[in-house]
Amino acid sequence: MKEQKPIYEEILNYTKDGRTYWVSLAINPVRDENGDLKNYIAVQADITATKKSALDAKYKLEAIGRANAVMEFDTKGIVLDVNQNYLDIIGYEKEELIGKHHEMMVDQHTSQSKEYKDLWDRLAKGEFVSGEFERYTKSGSKVILKGVFNPIFDINGKAIKVVKFATDITQEKTLERENERQQAELMNHMEAINKTIGSLEFDKKGKIVKANEIYLSITGFKLEDIAGKSYFDLLPEKDRFKPQYQLMWESLQNGKFFSGEFKQVDKNGHEVWLSGTINPIYDSAQNLEKVLLLAQFTTKSKQKLNELGGSVTAMKGVIPILELNTDFSLKNANPLFFEASGFSRMTLKAVDFANHFKLEKGVTQNTVLTDLENGKRVETYLEFKTNDGDWIGSKVSIAGVQNLDLELDKIIILFTGMVEQQLKLKNVN
């Protein structure tokens, strides 16, 4: 005022009771016809509401800036300002970006594309643009930003600059793509499973919801025949009220799964056998959602196994049988061999093969092992010394038993040539 200059200022004032308010104050000198200072005219206006609105906008922008990556451009794409969050993502220093074009953060193909040029044309016209954008850091690694380009307008409604707010979703997109890959892989696995094994899907109460084509074709059911029925309805009638099945479903609801062989009936009431698993399936909140049975039908194998078991049982009743380890130590025998030899289960393992058994000339333990390992059966003559010291001879059939790795696991000797008198059998007829 001493310099007689106009003054404009915004001033924070206080009322009598201590409340704050803002005024805009304009003071202008008034001069006479000679140009000398005559007086001052002061005009003030209450701008409290406007000031509150401006401060509110300022603090909101600061909060957005703390939570987001923010970059300002002119309408041609030249960087005007950038916050630290954005710098942390792309690895540049602030001075490396100011005055440079946004295209330094995209690849060459993108920078020369029509879509990229259209982006800046749209922003210059005042359009908002949002989406997910691939950008490149100073080191050349790719990041994915989710954000929005916001044009800023002057009082005439013309776009004068662009502010971009963004967040780094690179990790999120990586996880999303990995999840999509795993989902696709899972779907491929499930498709392969549906082509090779039977599946039944139950709701959490044990009611049938779905069945695949393999299950339906083998059992003869149509889905409408069994949909809504329970697992118990698929069991043979004599098994439906057995407590172990109720216990199994209670355990499934508590998170346990079951694997093994399962017996059911087909549409005609015939027994079918399945080998597989029954699995509880949970939703994202770890609540039981459904139960899935995946299994191969093993009815024919089961029948063959039963037939084989019956044959073996019948054979054990008429032919003395001796089991050996692959080193020719004695392992086990059936009752007919114990009766013929005078040995017991307790004394059998102490019997030395070399001292108590004689193979016919030209046949040795090594030649027998070689033949058995090659999948051959050995037909020969064998003598053995009983517990009383007597020697008994018989034609024998020697076979090998393989383990799951198809390696020779044990040796079986069938004394096929023993006569009833030599064996001292009782009640054979």
Side-chain angles (χ1 to χ4, degrees):
M1 289 179 67
K2 288 181 179 179
E3 294 176 355
Q4 302 180 14
K5 294 180 179 179
I7 301 168
Y8 176 79
E9 189 61 81
E10 293 179 354
I11 299 175
L12 175 65
N13 280 346
Y14 296 86
T15 64
K16 183 178 181 179
D17 59 6
R19 289 180 291 108
T20 58
Y21 68 99
W22 284 85
V23 296
S24 63
L25 178 65
I27 302 177
N28 288 280
V30 179
R31 302 182 185 280
D32 60 19
E33 62 273 12
N34 298 318
D36 295 325
L37 179 66
K38 182 179 179 181
N39 55 24
Y40 292 91
I41 293 179
V43 180
Q44 63 179 356
D46 186 348
I47 60 168
T48 304
T50 303
K51 194 71 175 179
K52 284 182 177 179
S53 177
L55 289 172
D56 182 66
K58 175 187 175 184
Y59 295 140
K60 284 180 179 177
L61 284 174
E62 289 178 353
I64 292 172
R66 284 192 291 269
N68 292 267
V70 182
M71 186 176 282
E72 293 185 15
F73 311 88
D74 67 16
T75 54
K76 295 181 180 179
I78 302 301
V79 179
L80 302 176
D81 197 9
V82 57
N83 76 348
Q84 190 59 46
N85 289 342
Y86 213 115
L87 296 173
D88 291 341
I89 294 172
I90 58 176
Y92 286 99
E93 297 296 331
K94 190 171 185 177
E95 54 271 18
E96 293 179 287
L97 294 174
I98 302 299
K100 303 293 179 60
H101 197 278
H102 174 269
E103 66 183 10
M104 68 185 295
M105 289 171 283
V106 301
D107 59 29
Q108 187 175 5
H109 174 75
T110 300
S111 66
Q112 295 178 354
S113 68
K114 181 179 182 300
E115 290 79 6
Y116 187 70
K117 291 181 173 59
D118 289 344
L119 168 68
W120 289 103
D121 289 342
R122 291 170 61 191
L123 292 171
K125 293 175 183 177
E127 293 184 33
F128 290 81
V129 179
S130 63
E132 296 176 0
F133 309 97
E134 289 186 358
R135 298 294 180 254
Y136 288 85
T137 68
K138 183 178 179 179
S139 64
S141 59
K142 183 168 67 177
V143 293
I144 302 175
L145 304 180
K146 182 177 183 179
V148 57
F149 288 89
N150 300 269
I152 305 298
F153 304 94
D154 62 16
I155 59 174
N156 298 314
K158 180 181 179 182
I160 55 174
K161 65 179 180 177
V162 176
V163 179
K164 180 183 179 182
F165 299 97
T167 55
D168 184 0
I169 61 168
T170 307
Q171 185 65 23
E172 176 186 330
K173 294 299 289 186
T174 300
L175 292 174
E176 182 181 312
R177 288 168 183 169
E178 175 62 18
N179 183 56
E180 289 173 355
R181 185 194 67 77
Q182 291 179 354
Q183 287 287 344
E185 186 175 325
L186 178 60
M187 291 303 295
N188 289 334
H189 287 328
M190 289 305 297
E191 185 177 350
I193 286 171
N194 277 324
K195 290 179 179 178
T196 55
I197 65 177
S199 70
L200 267 180
E201 186 177 308
F202 304 84
D203 66 17
K204 59 185 178 182
K205 295 182 179 179
K207 301 296 183 182
I208 298 169
V209 178
K210 293 179 183 178
N212 74 349
E213 190 59 36
I214 289 180
Y215 184 91
L216 296 173
S217 64
I218 292 178
T219 60
F221 289 116
K222 294 181 179 179
L223 182 57
E224 53 266 29
D225 296 332
I226 57 176
K229 292 187 176 181
S230 74
Y231 179 84
F232 302 96
D233 293 321
L234 300 177
L235 297 175
E237 193 169 346
K238 65 180 183 296
D239 294 335
R240 291 178 185 175
F241 300 101
K242 289 184 176 179
Q244 60 262 38
Y245 292 107
Q246 185 64 42
L247 181 62
M248 180 182 77
W249 276 94
E250 290 176 0
S251 298
L252 284 166
Q253 292 180 328
N254 290 326
K256 295 182 179 180
F257 77 96
F258 289 83
S259 64
E261 288 190 314
F262 308 99
K263 182 169 59 173
Q264 296 183 358
V265 292
D266 63 15
K267 186 176 182 178
N268 297 317
H270 300 142
E271 287 188 358
V272 292
W273 285 85
L274 303 95
S275 177
T277 61
I278 303 180
N279 311 272
I281 308 296
Y282 297 92
D283 60 20
S284 57
Q286 293 302 302
N287 297 315
L288 182 67
E289 183 177 11
K290 58 186 177 182
V291 173
L292 185 63
L293 182 150
L294 297 171
Q296 290 183 320
F297 283 87
T298 59
T299 308
K300 291 183 179 178
S301 299
K302 190 74 174 177
Q303 289 172 345
K304 288 181 180 179
L305 189 60
N306 288 340
E307 291 171 3
L308 179 61
S311 299
V312 170
T313 301
M315 188 182 298
K316 287 182 177 180
V318 295
I319 300 175
I321 300 174
L322 177 65
E323 292 184 17
L324 308 176
N325 295 308
T326 54
D327 61 358
F328 281 81
S329 58
L330 277 61
K331 183 176 184 180
N332 202 357
N334 71 341
L336 291 181
F337 181 83
F338 287 129
E339 187 174 352
S341 65
F343 297 121
S344 66
R345 292 188 186 276
M346 295 296 293
T347 61
L348 183 69
K349 294 183 180 180
V351 175
D352 181 65
F353 186 86
N355 294 328
H356 288 77
F357 292 84
K358 294 179 182 178
L359 292 163
E360 69 178 321
K361 189 175 181 180
V363 180
T364 65
Q365 293 182 22
N366 288 336
T367 61
V368 170
L369 278 176
T370 300
D371 286 341
L372 296 180
E373 288 171 350
N374 291 325
K376 297 179 181 179
R377 182 187 294 270
V378 178
E379 305 290 340
T380 186
Y381 188 85
L382 179 67
E383 293 182 86
F384 67 90
K385 186 168 67 173
T386 68
N387 195 42
D388 295 330
D390 299 324
W391 285 89
I392 296 176
S394 171
K395 287 183 178 180
V396 294
S397 180
I398 306 176
V401 177
Q402 295 178 327
N403 59 23
L404 294 178
D405 295 323
L406 301 181
E407 298 170 340
L408 187 64
D409 186 53
K410 63 181 179 180
I411 300 168
I412 305 294
I413 301 178
L414 304 175
F415 292 83
T416 57
M418 279 189 165
V419 296
E420 184 175 325
Q421 291 82 0
Q422 292 172 314
L423 293 175
K424 302 176 184 178
L425 295 177
K426 298 177 181 179
N427 302 319
V428 172
N429 295 322

